[in-house]
């Protein structure tokens, strides 16, 4: 099965999908293989595409948890890991944490994204207390409008998640244990973020620092 949410809605809560979901799967199927990816990137991802779209329209990008670390993993590598997990008998009952070859801070990912799309934007660090207050207001707006407004911008739970690093734990099983070589972020981002450059696919100017 494949589960994952960016925003809570109804019964689809973070606790139900991740913590309780893993426990329930293991209780019902002891040989189940659990895969925990960091940020997944690829052509239609909801991370780099989202912020690149924001950079095309806004002079500044708010960054909650600028120092929080991530280990982005390529969607094709995740797909290969799923195949290998199903094909290898020794994977039964194991948990694998999937991350790419490099670790980046949130601010570092934004700088890399901006360099890829050849745009200069101000990265505005947003302190956690401020972010939590803004998220509370957006969550409240969703509540009082009875779901007519859906908070897809920033939730209180997302702020909580951004306080924690999202990287492969020390000693955890990972891509290498499934025979998958991790793909670098730098080798893939230009192949689909080019459309956010000032001149789209025709913009071949030198990457901006």
């Amino acid at each position: 099965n494949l589960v994952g949410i960016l925003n809570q809605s109804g019964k689809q809560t973070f606790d139900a999908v991740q913590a309780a979901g893993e426990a329930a799967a293991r209780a019902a199927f002891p040989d189940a293989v659990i895969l925990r990816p960091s940020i997944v990137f690829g052509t239609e991802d909801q991370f780099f595409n989202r912020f690149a779209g924001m950079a095309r329209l806004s002079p500044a990008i708010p960054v909650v948890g600028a120092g929080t670390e991530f280990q982005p993993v390529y969607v094709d590598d995740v797909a290969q890991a799923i195949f290998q997990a199903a094909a290898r008998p020794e994977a039964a009952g194991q948990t694998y944490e999937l991350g790419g070859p490099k670790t980046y801070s949130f601010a570092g990912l934004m700088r890399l994204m901006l360099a890829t799309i050849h745009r200069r934007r101000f990265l505005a660090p947003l302190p956690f207390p401020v972010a939590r207050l803004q998220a509370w207001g957006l969550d409240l707006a969703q509540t009082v409008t009875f779901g007519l407004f859906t908070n897809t911008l920033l939730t209180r739970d997302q702020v909580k998640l951004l306080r924690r690093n999202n990287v492969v734990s020390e000693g955890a099983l990972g891509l290498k244990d499934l025979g998958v070589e991790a793909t670098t972020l730098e080798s893939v981002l230009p192949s689909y973020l080019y459309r956010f450059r000032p001149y789209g696919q025709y913009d071949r100017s030198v990457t901006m620092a």
Side-chain angles (χ1 to χ4, degrees), residues 56-79:
R56 187 163 56 181
L57 301 173
S58 173
I61 298 178
V63 181
V64 180
T68 300
E69 295 184 334
F70 296 90
Q71 200 169 341
V73 58
Y74 186 36
V75 63
D76 285 11
D77 293 345
V78 174

Side-chain angles (χ1 to χ4, degrees), residues 9-92:
S9 178
K11 295 182 178 180
Q12 301 297 315
T13 64
F14 292 120
D15 285 339
V17 168
Q18 184 175 342
E22 286 189 4
R26 271 285 160 75
F29 307 99
D31 287 340
V33 181
I34 293 174
L35 305 178
R36 299 172 180 164
S38 185
I39 291 175
V40 179
F41 67 92
T43 305
E44 298 180 2
D45 70 53
Q46 295 301 305
F47 184 81
F48 290 105
N49 279 293
R50 179 181 182 181
F51 284 103
M54 186 185 301
R56 187 163 56 181
L57 301 173
S58 173
I61 298 178
V63 181
V64 180
T68 300
E69 295 184 334
F70 296 90
Q71 200 169 341
V73 58
Y74 186 36
V75 63
D76 285 11
D77 293 345
V78 174
Q80 182 63 22
I82 293 172
F83 173 80
Q84 293 294 337
R88 296 180 174 223
E90 67 271 22

Side-chain angles (χ1 to χ4, degrees), residues 38-39 41 47-48 65-73 99-113 164-167 183-189:
S38 185
I39 291 175
F41 67 92
F47 184 81
F48 290 105
T68 300
E69 295 184 334
F70 296 90
Q71 200 169 341
V73 58
K102 294 177 62 176
T103 297
Y104 309 78
S105 68
F106 194 175
L109 288 176
M110 293 298 95
R111 286 192 289 269
L112 177 59
M113 177 274 294
R164 301 175 57 185
N165 293 334
N166 191 333
V167 298
T183 304
T184 65
L185 185 59
E186 291 83 355
S187 68
V188 176
L189 276 189

Side-chain angles (χ1 to χ4, degrees), residues 3-9 12-14 17-18 37-40 44-51 70 139 142 150-162 166:
V3 295
I5 56 174
L6 291 176
N7 305 286
Q8 298 189 113
S9 178
Q12 301 297 315
T13 64
F14 292 120
V17 168
Q18 184 175 342
S38 185
I39 291 175
V40 179
E44 298 180 2
D45 70 53
Q46 295 301 305
F47 184 81
F48 290 105
N49 279 293
R50 179 181 182 181
F51 284 103
F70 296 90
D139 283 343
Q142 177 171 290
T150 301
N151 180 15
T152 60
L153 300 174
L154 183 66
T155 69
R156 285 171 291 177
D157 288 300
Q158 288 173 342
V159 174
K160 290 179 183 177
L161 289 174
L162 286 169
N166 191 333

Side-chain angles (χ1 to χ4, degrees), residues 168-184:
V168 175
S169 304
E170 185 176 353
L173 296 175
L175 288 175
K176 185 180 296 184
D177 300 287
L178 289 169
V180 180
E181 184 177 353
T183 304
T184 65

